[in-house]
Amino acid sequence: SFEIKVISVQARKSVGGQFFNEKAPDGASFITVKFQYKNITGKPVSKSVKVDKLVDPSGTKYDEATGASIHYRTEQRFNKKILSDINPGITVTDGEVFEVANDLWKNKGWKLILDTDDDDVEISIP
């Protein structure tokens, strides 16, 4: 149902704006994931795409840092649809944030698991 594109994956010390923000704990970083998805069907779709997990090279799965994700979305002003369907041909930009220890993030082989309306999609992070 969707064409998915990961725009960026970055390690950051903080997310948010001047008044509402969150800092990563000592020894950790926020891994921000910015992505787009486009409805490639011929009908409105009610489900969106979500980065469900961040997976390290050993297979350990990380959940979203919910508060940090809210601050990141506000900072970036994404156009994610919250209450409405995604009409055919519409592209939505969204983002998620994960908290990861700095020494682990240095390793190669990380992956993202995206939850779509069809199946989970696994994307390797270069």
Side-chain angles (χ1 to χ4, degrees), residues 77-112:
R77 299 181 182 173
F78 294 129
N79 65 345
K80 178 180 178 179
K81 306 287 183 183
I82 295 174
L83 300 174
S84 61
D85 291 345
I86 301 167
N87 287 321
I90 299 296
T91 300
V92 175
T93 305
D94 197 4
E96 305 280 348
V97 177
F98 298 86
E99 187 179 280
V100 173
N102 290 332
D103 59 336
L104 294 175
W105 182 246
K106 294 175 185 176
N107 298 320
K108 299 287 184 197
W110 287 80
K111 298 177 184 177
L112 299 169

Side-chain angles (χ1 to χ4, degrees), residues 36-52:
Q36 290 182 327
Y37 52 99
K38 178 180 179 180
N39 178 353
I40 57 173
T41 72
K43 61 184 180 198
V45 177
S46 61
K47 187 165 176 19
S48 61
V49 173
K50 177 177 177 26
V51 178
D52 191 39

